[in-house]
């Protein structure tokens, strides 16, 4: 309890002798002998023990009062579109071997559906396959938090090199590779439900998993074993093709998602908002040696019959002027100088600075600022938005991630402790820091 709700019990005043290591040990020993752990459990952090001696809960227990009530469960998650279809989904799963869940992005299928199954069937033992390690860890953490538990109890995960589960674990999130290894070991013995999320992401492992699950369903039916329920989830899945692959006993449930307004801004908008100038010596300048080497490689690929990357910015100055003639001359100059085949790290940093500093991390303020400035109207800098902010920067590879991080750190505009990389090659502990 104290691990989950420390703020209610920790007091501001600490024992005056807490800095003395020997006295600290005696103090912890005295608290442990008092029997308080018999009432509030053992999930107590080391730095939480020291404040118990002065807390009202401790004195109430010493006086013989009734123990405090158990902590309330985690705050109920906000209603999601999938909640309105709960009965229909559960009934369909009960009546069919394979169920296709077609829910649009934001409907809550990844986090809410496994929880629904867990609450509806106390004897269920579920495997959930996620295409990425970070998804398996993140969804497991969220569902465990909604249940007021820690990961590794009823809800757990197993990824390459790390697992948090026990004998009581009934809902286990895995990567596709881990699920295939379990299939090879014991054929998912004891598992009642297998959920394959993001099934539209066609990989060799994912396709082989679907093939193995189809055969496993058939084998269990032929042997008279308890049925295995298969759930396939996606926002963009070709339902007819999948239903035809699994055959009779495969049905589809569809429901809407939750859409949010989106204001699209394109490259020319970014150049105008930041007044960006392409540095002559930068790798992303068309006259740089790096750009010339890239152009030579692309020419060699084209000569050998390879596919050329799509170019979105015309190289012909007349075509460029005809297409972007309504924009300021600085935008045309930047478009002409920049090599679109290379990530413009300077522009990325300037955009992050514009959104996080000038607009205070407030999306509405950023949209209003963009409309006012791009429309030519004069406008004061918007007031910073309240609350915490996070900016996600999506780039194409690990090297590009490191380049952007290095440039943001060198700018001195941001606290380097909050500039974090996120990619599949990071250890799980490093990935968790982002959240």
């Amino acid at each position: 309890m104290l691990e989950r709700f420390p703020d209610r019990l920790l007091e501001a005043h600490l024992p005056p002798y807490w800095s003395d290591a020997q006295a600290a040990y005696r103090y912890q020993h005295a608290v442990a002998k008092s029997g308080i752990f018999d009432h509030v459990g053992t999930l107590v952090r080391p730095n939480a023990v020291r404040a118990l001696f002065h807390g009202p809960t401790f004195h109430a227990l010493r006086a013989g009062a009734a123990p405090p009530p158990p902590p309330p469960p985690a705050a109920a998650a906000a209603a999601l579109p999938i909640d309105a279809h709960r009965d229909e989904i559960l009934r369909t799963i009960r009546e069919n071997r394979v169920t296709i869940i077609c829910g649009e992005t934001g409907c809550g299928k990844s986090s809410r559906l496994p929880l629904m199954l867990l609450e509806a069937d106390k004897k269920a033992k579920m495997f959930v396959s996620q295409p990425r390690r970070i998804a398996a860890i993140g969804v497991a953490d969220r569902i465990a938090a909604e249940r007021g538990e820690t990961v590794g109890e009823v809800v757990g995960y197993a990824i390459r090199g790390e697992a948090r589960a026990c004998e009581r674990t009934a809902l286990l999130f895995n990567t596709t590779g881990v699920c295939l290894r379990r299939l090879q070991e014991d054929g998912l013995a004891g598992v009642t439900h297998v959920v394959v999320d993001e099934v539209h992401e066609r990989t060799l492992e994912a396709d082989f998993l679907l093939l193995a699950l189809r055969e496993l369903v058939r084998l269990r039916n032929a042997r008279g074993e308890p049925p295995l329920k298969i759930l396939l989830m996606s926002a963009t899945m070709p339902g007819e093709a999948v239903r035809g692959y699994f055959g009779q006993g495969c049905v589809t449930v569809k429901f809407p998602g939750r859409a949010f307004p989106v204001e699209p801004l394109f490259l020319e908008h970014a150049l105008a908002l930041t007044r960006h100038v392409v540095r002559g010596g930068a790798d992303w300048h068309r006259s740089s040696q790096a750009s010339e080497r890239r152009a030579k490689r692309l020419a060699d690929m084209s000569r050998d019959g390879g596919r050329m990357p799509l170019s979105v910015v015309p190289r012909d100055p007349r075509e460029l002027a005809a297409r972007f003639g309504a924009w300021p001359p600085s935008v045309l100059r930047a478009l002409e100088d920049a090599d679109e085949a290379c990530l413009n790290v300077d522009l990325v940093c300037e955009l992050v600075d514009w959104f996080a500093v000038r607009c205070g991390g407030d999306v509405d303020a950023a949209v209003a600022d963009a409309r006012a400035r791009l429309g030519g109207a004069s406008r004061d800098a918007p007031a910073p938005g309240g609350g915490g902010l996070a900016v996600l920067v999506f780039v194409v590879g690990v090297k590009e991630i490191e380049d952007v991080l290095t440039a943001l750190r060198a700018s001195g505009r941001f606290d380097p402790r909050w500039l974090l990389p996120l990619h599949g090659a990071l250890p799980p502990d490093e990935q968790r820091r982002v959240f």
Side-chain angles (χ1 to χ4, degrees):
M1 183 178 85
L2 296 173
E3 176 66 25
R4 299 169 190 152
F5 302 95
D7 295 336
R8 189 176 302 172
L9 297 177
L10 297 186
E11 301 291 324
H13 302 289
L14 301 179
Y17 48 79
W18 184 246
S19 60
D20 184 297
Q22 185 177 7
Y25 173 79
R26 292 198 305 268
Y27 177 76
Q28 286 189 339
H29 183 66
V31 172
K33 286 186 63 178
S34 69
I36 189 171
F37 295 148
D38 296 337
H39 298 278
V40 300
T42 58
L43 295 177
V44 183
R45 299 181 300 183
N47 65 342
V49 175
R50 59 187 180 185
L52 286 175
F53 212 78
H54 292 280
T57 301
F58 179 82
H59 289 294
L61 292 174
R62 288 289 298 270
L80 294 171
I82 192 174
D83 294 331
H85 303 266
R86 175 189 174 93
D87 294 339
E88 176 190 0
I89 293 172
L90 294 177
R91 183 180 66 254
T92 303
I93 293 172
R94 282 196 305 268
E95 296 174 353
N96 298 275
R97 295 177 301 170
V98 182
T99 304
I100 301 173
I101 306 294
C102 290
E104 296 176 4
T105 301
C107 68
K109 58 185 180 294
S110 296
S111 60
R112 198 59 62 85
L113 180 61
L115 185 58
M116 286 181 183
L117 293 171
L118 192 61
E119 294 173 345
D121 186 356
K122 302 301 181 183
K123 296 182 180 179
K125 190 174 180 62
M126 287 171 280
F127 260 44
V128 182
S129 172
Q130 290 284 352
R132 285 168 290 277
R133 293 186 300 169
I134 192 168
I137 296 172
V139 180
D141 284 338
R142 173 167 179 171
I143 293 180
E146 289 186 11
R147 288 175 53 87
E149 301 172 352
T150 57
V151 175
E153 299 176 2
V154 177
V155 181
Y157 66 82
I159 60 176
R160 185 181 61 188
E162 182 181 358
R164 296 186 63 180
C166 65
E167 293 182 355
R168 297 194 304 115
T169 300
L171 176 56
L172 189 67
F173 287 83
N174 312 264
T175 52
T176 307
V178 171
C179 197
L180 285 172
R181 283 199 298 272
R182 176 67 187 273
L183 266 167
Q184 184 182 21
E185 291 172 0
D186 61 5
L188 297 180
V191 175
T192 60
H193 298 73
V194 175
V195 182
V196 183
D197 201 1
E198 308 295 354
V199 74
H200 64 275
E201 296 194 13
R202 299 292 301 277
T203 64
L204 184 63
E205 283 186 338
D207 284 1
F208 188 77
L209 177 62
L210 293 183
L211 185 153
L213 291 176
R214 185 180 69 170
E215 292 304 307
L216 185 58
V217 169
R218 184 184 62 82
L219 286 174
R220 283 200 180 185
N221 289 337
R223 295 170 181 171
E225 298 176 353
L228 177 66
K229 302 290 186 178
I230 307 296
L231 285 78
L232 310 174
M233 302 195 300
S234 173
T236 59
M237 179 172 51
E240 293 296 332
V242 177
R243 189 160 56 248
Y245 179 75
F246 279 91
Q248 188 177 5
C250 178
V251 297
T252 302
V253 179
K254 296 183 179 181
F255 44 86
R258 176 181 293 175
F260 295 91
V262 175
E263 184 80 11
L265 298 177
F266 300 98
L267 176 60
E268 55 270 28
H269 299 102
L271 295 172
L273 285 170
T274 60
R275 297 182 174 87
H276 178 70
V277 176
V278 182
R279 288 189 290 113
D283 287 348
W284 44 89
H285 196 286
R286 281 186 176 175
S287 63
S288 68
Q289 294 183 356
S291 179
E292 292 176 357
R293 289 194 297 269
R294 281 191 297 272
K296 184 178 183 303
R297 285 199 304 269
L298 292 175
D300 293 341
M301 288 173 55
S302 177
R303 188 167 50 251
D304 295 339
R307 179 184 296 179
M308 293 292 290
L310 178 66
S311 178
V312 296
V313 179
R315 284 189 173 270
D316 187 339
R318 289 176 298 180
E319 186 179 352
L320 187 69
R323 182 174 172 184
F324 298 100
W327 291 90
S330 61
V331 173
L332 274 82
R333 187 163 53 252
L335 287 171
E336 188 174 1
D337 291 342
D339 181 358
E340 62 179 306
C342 181
L343 175 67
N344 189 332
V345 177
D346 287 349
L347 179 59
V348 172
C349 294
E350 291 171 9
L351 279 172
V352 173
D353 184 81
W354 167 74
F355 176 73
V357 179
R358 175 179 172 82
C359 300
D362 188 295
V363 175
D364 294 332
V367 170
D369 183 59
R371 288 174 177 171
R373 295 173 62 190
L374 297 177
S378 61
R379 186 178 185 274
D380 295 333
L389 79 96
V391 180
L392 299 179
V393 180
F394 292 89
V395 293
V396 296
V398 175
K399 179 183 180 301
E400 287 76 7
I401 291 175
E402 294 301 326
D403 289 345
V404 172
L405 285 174
T406 300
L408 288 172
R409 292 180 183 121
S411 70
R413 303 278 280 173
F414 307 97
D415 186 344
R417 296 173 299 176
W418 292 99
L419 298 173
L420 303 173
L422 182 61
H423 51 80
L426 287 174
D429 288 343
E430 291 295 312
Q431 293 181 0
R432 288 193 196 94
R433 293 179 61 202
V434 176
F435 301 98

